[in-house]
Amino acid sequence: MSEPTISWDDILEVGQGGPGCGQLFINGKQPKGAFRYLPPALYHDGHVYASTFVPGGFVVAEIDPGTLVRRAVTERLPYARLAAIEGEEIVYYDHFEGDSVSRVAVSRPKPLMARLFRRR
């Protein structure tokens, strides 16, 4: 699969003096659900990663470009502006102002059969 086209529209400030979040488009279509996203979005290993604005903070999400289905990678965070993907970790800025960074592992659910055999 080739790298998808990622674009943004309707970016608005979240709160007074807060970051700008907007509508994310992947290949001209919006991911499922009525969410706003904090630019930038990153493409890695067949998926798009974006920071989703939710009440009380942000959730880093993995989006399948083919189905546009969104899956949360993290719990709610106070702030998460994506910086890079290094190996199997997402690097993100964890404060609106400053250069403090955090990391979270990119983990995908294991196939059903693999989970069943592991339990034995």
Side-chain angles (χ1 to χ4, degrees), residues 13-72:
E13 191 176 87
V14 176
Q16 188 172 1
C21 294
Q23 297 171 336
L24 170 66
F25 291 86
I26 301 171
N27 294 328
K29 297 180 181 175
Q30 288 186 283
K32 299 199 185 305
F35 295 101
R36 296 187 76 78
Y37 297 89
L38 177 65
L42 305 173
Y43 179 75
H44 175 72
D45 198 25
H47 292 85
V48 174
Y49 293 88
S51 184
T52 309
F53 176 69
V54 296
F58 294 85
V59 171
V60 177
E62 175 185 82
I63 303 164
D64 182 314
T67 63
L68 298 172
V69 172
R70 174 188 165 279
R71 180 184 71 83

